[in-house]
């Protein structure tokens, strides 16, 4: 029982991290209807910049905040210089562009930081808990708190602010949003900035969680988060969060605890295939 | 002159939609552009709004050349539109749809007064306040689209095929509202319509559009009596 609860806690943490990465993808799909594969590369850059700034300054807060700013700019840059010029073509064109950007950024990370695995030794400034013989490490506490904070902030922005109203309007009809006085291109850029900043948080957290930062750390998340937004319902942010949490728990419990002889990473894709066969609109998608 | 359009050309790739038309609207006028489906009417409105680019020509609004302004800047300048098929934001509530109409202007407008006025004009919207717009009927969506365009007190209202898909009774109601807005509030309105009779009946002047060119223009009352117009556009025969 104790092992089960510990695994469950780990699973929720895993799912939270998936959620942080998938959020950006769901936001971008929701607003531009493109599959932003390169988002996972932004997550990798987020880990590197976070680590670099942390080593330089000795402060984790500076590391993560700096990484968020850097990644927000990177995300906006990709939107302005890659996606925006390609939007007039069929959706597979920006998709190919996105894959190219993903590979380019991975290679750039390899060139700049080297192919080896770097360690990210940092203690997250969060308390450790001990409840009935079960230890909740400070890293787990950090993952829970940060994810909850990010989700709360995002919910607040999208549902309670004028910016959020504009984001939702733009995601439903860009020309008409423009005709309402909304600068939709600016809103699209802001959406990329928000999603990319969250990816930077995710990258730094994963780097610390596994104590590893390496150039291809975004490859598996790239495909897994793609499966997750399909499972959650394309463009549905709540759906992406639910699917991420479920996957984190399922991976940890079914494979880590119940010892089902499957590769851990296969689960997301099995879920995607199942969803595509029986509920193609996804868990929380419309239509 | 509130709006002046000079030598307007619009094309989609190689397909010419509008080729070199000129027209103008005075402050306080209600003007119609009538013509068959595919004559280029919607293209004209969309390019005044700025969501379809001009290939050539010039648009002057309140004595300022707005040809190079983006759509959102034109909206701020006081041009608002009721799009073809309403195009309300389907997954926003009625209230949120109205709020998109005052995006960035909430501080400069007395929202309570505007919303009370619009809900008196279209009482059904008050009942539907918290419903997603996609759950509204076609006529209700059309009313919401008009309210959304009016909430910011525009100086020019563009109305695109408002009669399309509406029951005849509703068409009359909507046109009555437009007439009232023009009469009582002095709102300048440009209507493009396939339903020539309904729009000519409330208009001061009208332009007749045929395959991207203006072929007739004049007072609406005169056009209604013109036998040639009657035969071709009003479908009543001579």
């Amino acid at each position: 029982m104790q092992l089960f609860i510990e695994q469950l806690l780990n699973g929720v943490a895993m799912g939270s991290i998936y959620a942080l990465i998938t959020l950006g993808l769901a936001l971008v799909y929701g607003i531009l209807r493109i599959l932003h594969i390169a988002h996972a590369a932004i997550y990798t850059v987020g880990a590197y910049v976070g680590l670099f700034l942390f080593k330089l300054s000795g402060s984790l807060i500076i590391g993560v905040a700096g990484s968020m700013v850097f990644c927000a700019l990177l995300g906006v840059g990709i939107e302005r210089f890659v996606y925006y010029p390609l939007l007039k073509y069929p959706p597979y064109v920006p998709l190919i562009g996105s894959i190219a950007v993903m590979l380019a950024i991975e290679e750039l990370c390899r060139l700049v930081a080297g192919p080896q695995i770097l360690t990210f030794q940092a203690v997250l400034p969060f308390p450790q808990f001990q409840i009935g013989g079960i230890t909740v490490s400070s890293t787990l506490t950090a993952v829970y708190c940060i994810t909850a904070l990010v989700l709360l902030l995002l919910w607040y922005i999208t549902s309670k602010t004028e910016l959020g109203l504009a984001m939702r309007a733009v995601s439903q009809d860009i020309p008409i949003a423009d005709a309402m006085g909304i600068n939709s291109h600016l809103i699209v850029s802001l959406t990329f900035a928000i999603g990319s900043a969250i990816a930077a948080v995710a990258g730094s957290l994963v780097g610390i969680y596994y104590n590893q930062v390496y150039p291809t750390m975004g490859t598996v998340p790239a495909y897994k988060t793609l499966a997750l937004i399909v499972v959650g319902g394309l463009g549905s942010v709540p759906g992406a969060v639910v699917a991420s949490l479920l996957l984190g728990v399922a991976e940890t419990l079914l494979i880590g605890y119940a010892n089902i002889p499957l590769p851990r990473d296969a689960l997301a894709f099995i879920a995607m295939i199942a969803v595509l066969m029986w509920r193609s609109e996804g868990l929380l998608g419309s239509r | 002159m509130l709006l002046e359009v000079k030598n307007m050309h619009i094309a989609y790739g190689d397909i010419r939609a509008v080729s070199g038309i000129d027209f103008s609207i005075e402050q306080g006028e209600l003007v119609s552009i009538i013509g068959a489906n595919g004559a280029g009417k919607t293209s004209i409105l969309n390019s005044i709004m700025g969501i379809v680019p001009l290939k050539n020509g010039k648009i002057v609004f309140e004595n300022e050349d707005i040809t190079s302004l983006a759509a959102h800047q034109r909206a701020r300048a006081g041009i608002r539109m009721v799009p073809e098929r309403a195009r309300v934001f389907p997954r926003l509530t009625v209230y949120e749809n109205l709020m998109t109409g005052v995006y960035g202007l909430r501080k400069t407008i007395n929202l309570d007064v505007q919303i009370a006025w619009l809900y008196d004009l279209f009482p059904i919207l008050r009942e539907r306040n918290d419903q997603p717009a996609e759950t509204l009927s076609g006529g209700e969506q059309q009313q919401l689209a008009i309210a959304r365009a009016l909430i910011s007190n525009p100086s020019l209202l563009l109305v695109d095929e408002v009669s399309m898909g509406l029951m005849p009774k509703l068409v009359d109601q909507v046109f009555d509202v437009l007439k009232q807005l023009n009469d009582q509030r002095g709102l300048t309105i440009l209507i493009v319509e396939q339903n020539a009779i309904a729009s000519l009946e409330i208009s001061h002047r009208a332009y007749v559009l045929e395959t991207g060119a203006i072929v007739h223009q004049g007072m609406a009352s005169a056009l209604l009596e013109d036998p040639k117009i009657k035969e071709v556009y009003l479908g009543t025969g001579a």
Side-chain angles (χ1 to χ4, degrees):
Chain A
M1 189 60 197
Q2 189 178 331
L3 181 64
F4 176 81
I5 293 176
E6 275 173 5
Q7 290 287 25
L8 186 66
L9 290 173
N10 283 328
V12 173
M14 203 62 244
S16 302
I17 287 169
Y18 287 154
L20 290 181
I21 312 172
T22 313
L23 274 177
L25 209 62
L27 284 171
V28 167
Y29 188 86
I31 209 155
L32 282 188
R33 305 286 183 280
I34 52 175
L35 294 169
H36 178 30
I37 308 286
H39 186 64
I42 296 179
Y43 148 87
T44 306
V45 171
Y48 272 108
V49 175
L51 174 60
F52 174 74
L53 290 178
F54 168 63
K55 278 188 173 162
L56 211 66
S57 66
S59 154
L60 202 53
I61 293 177
I62 292 179
V64 174
S67 174
M68 288 172 77
V69 172
F70 187 90
C71 286
L73 293 174
L74 178 62
V76 173
I78 293 173
E79 184 266 315
R80 295 258 154 165
F81 297 112
V82 182
Y83 294 144
Y84 190 69
L86 296 181
L87 274 182
K88 55 180 179 288
Y89 299 107
Y92 61 83
V93 177
L95 175 65
I96 294 168
S98 187
I99 295 171
V101 171
M102 160 99 195
L103 295 174
I105 293 178
E106 264 186 20
E107 286 309 312
L108 210 62
C109 288
R110 203 193 311 274
L111 281 173
V112 174
Q116 72 280 15
I117 295 176
L118 304 179
T119 58
F120 198 149
Q121 275 169 314
V123 179
L124 289 156
F126 283 83
Q128 180 173 319
F129 288 103
Q130 201 113 33
I131 310 161
I134 293 157
T135 311
V136 183
S137 70
S138 67
T139 314
L140 282 188
T141 315
V143 171
Y144 297 151
C145 292
I146 291 170
T147 307
L149 182 71
V150 166
L151 290 179
L152 202 68
L153 263 175
L154 199 64
W155 169 82
Y156 180 80
I157 292 173
T158 49
S159 64
K160 300 286 168 199
T161 67
E162 200 173 26
L163 169 65
L165 181 68
M167 285 169 73
R168 286 182 292 147
V170 170
S171 76
Q172 294 175 34
D173 195 330
I174 289 182
I176 296 303
D178 273 317
M180 294 301 125
I182 297 168
N183 184 349
S184 60
H185 194 184
L186 183 68
I187 299 292
V188 167
S189 294
L190 276 172
T191 305
F192 270 83
I194 293 171
S196 304
I198 299 174
V201 174
S204 305
L205 269 181
V206 168
I208 297 168
Y209 192 77
Y210 291 111
N211 194 17
Q212 286 184 348
V213 175
Y214 54 100
T216 55
M217 66 186 278
T219 310
V220 171
Y223 304 117
K224 216 180 254 186
T225 51
L226 209 57
L228 280 171
I229 61 166
V230 173
V231 171
L234 279 170
S236 162
V237 172
V241 173
V242 169
S244 300
L245 288 171
L246 285 178
L247 180 69
V249 170
E251 276 185 358
T252 316
L253 289 185
L254 291 181
I255 289 155
Y257 184 73
N259 286 317
I260 291 174
L262 263 179
R264 185 187 179 97
D265 294 333
L267 218 54
F269 302 100
I270 294 172
M272 179 173 80
I273 293 166
V275 160
L276 287 176
M277 285 172 75
W278 289 298
R279 195 179 155 79
S280 59
E281 71 277 25
L283 296 178
L284 298 184
S286 48
R287 264 188 316 275
Chain B
M1 212 59 85
L2 184 71
L3 181 82
E4 234 183 319
V5 171
K6 292 173 189 159
N7 192 29
M8 174 184 263
H9 288 262
I10 304 168
Y12 303 98
D14 292 334
I15 302 158
R16 283 177 12 179
V18 173
S19 27
I21 62 166
D22 298 85
F23 64 94
S24 60
I25 303 169
E26 297 269 13
Q27 178 83 43
E29 265 192 318
L30 203 169
V31 175
S32 284
I33 299 178
I34 57 172
N37 206 359
K41 304 186 301 294
T42 294
S43 300
I44 295 174
L45 275 206
N46 285 345
S47 73
I48 297 173
M49 191 68 242
I51 57 182
V52 159
L54 274 191
K55 195 157 184 259
N56 208 338
K58 195 171 161 188
I59 303 173
V60 180
F61 176 66
E62 289 177 336
N63 299 319
E64 262 178 71
D65 187 346
I66 59 163
T67 317
S68 60
L69 290 190
H72 65 95
Q73 294 166 315
R74 299 186 194 189
R76 295 285 174 91
I79 303 178
R80 295 286 165 153
M81 75 186 251
V82 180
E84 189 174 346
R85 295 182 192 283
R87 281 173 79 171
V88 291
F89 299 108
R91 292 181 299 286
L92 297 185
T93 65
V94 166
Y95 182 78
E96 287 171 333
N97 264 283
L98 290 179
M99 287 303 107
T100 61
V102 281
Y103 178 78
L105 301 170
R106 280 192 205 182
K107 287 191 187 79
T108 61
I109 277 170
N110 190 336
L111 266 186
D112 294 340
V113 171
Q114 287 302 93
I115 287 180
W117 165 57
L118 290 168
Y119 280 1
D120 286 343
L121 204 57
F122 304 111
I124 191 72
L125 297 181
R126 181 179 281 129
E127 278 172 47
R128 303 268 188 263
N129 189 57
D130 298 319
Q131 275 179 235
E134 62 191 348
T135 64
L136 269 55
S137 72
E140 291 163 359
Q141 293 192 12
Q142 204 60 262
Q143 296 175 36
L144 176 55
I146 298 174
R148 181 179 66 175
L150 289 176
I151 191 167
S152 63
N153 277 330
S155 5
L156 174 63
L157 183 69
L158 308 171
V159 182
D160 194 354
E161 301 281 9
V162 76
S163 72
M164 193 186 272
L166 293 189
M167 296 182 302
K169 198 181 132 212
L170 265 175
V171 173
D172 290 344
Q173 271 179 24
V174 167
F175 278 100
D176 278 348
V177 168
L178 294 176
K179 176 99 178 99
Q180 256 181 49
L181 288 166
N182 176 255
D183 277 350
Q184 293 167 13
R185 299 176 75 99
L187 178 62
T188 312
I189 304 177
L190 174 62
I191 300 177
V192 306
E193 257 303 331
Q194 232 173 302
N195 188 337
I197 300 181
S199 58
L200 285 180
E201 275 173 350
I202 62 164
S203 299
H204 300 124
R205 286 191 303 120
Y207 296 88
V208 181
L209 198 69
E210 218 169 79
T211 54
I214 289 173
V215 290
H216 295 285
Q217 54 179 299
M219 302 305 288
S221 49
L223 286 175
L224 268 172
E225 296 306 316
D226 188 317
K228 268 191 301 188
I229 303 285
K230 261 186 176 169
E231 191 182 336
V232 182
Y233 296 98
L234 308 182
T236 51

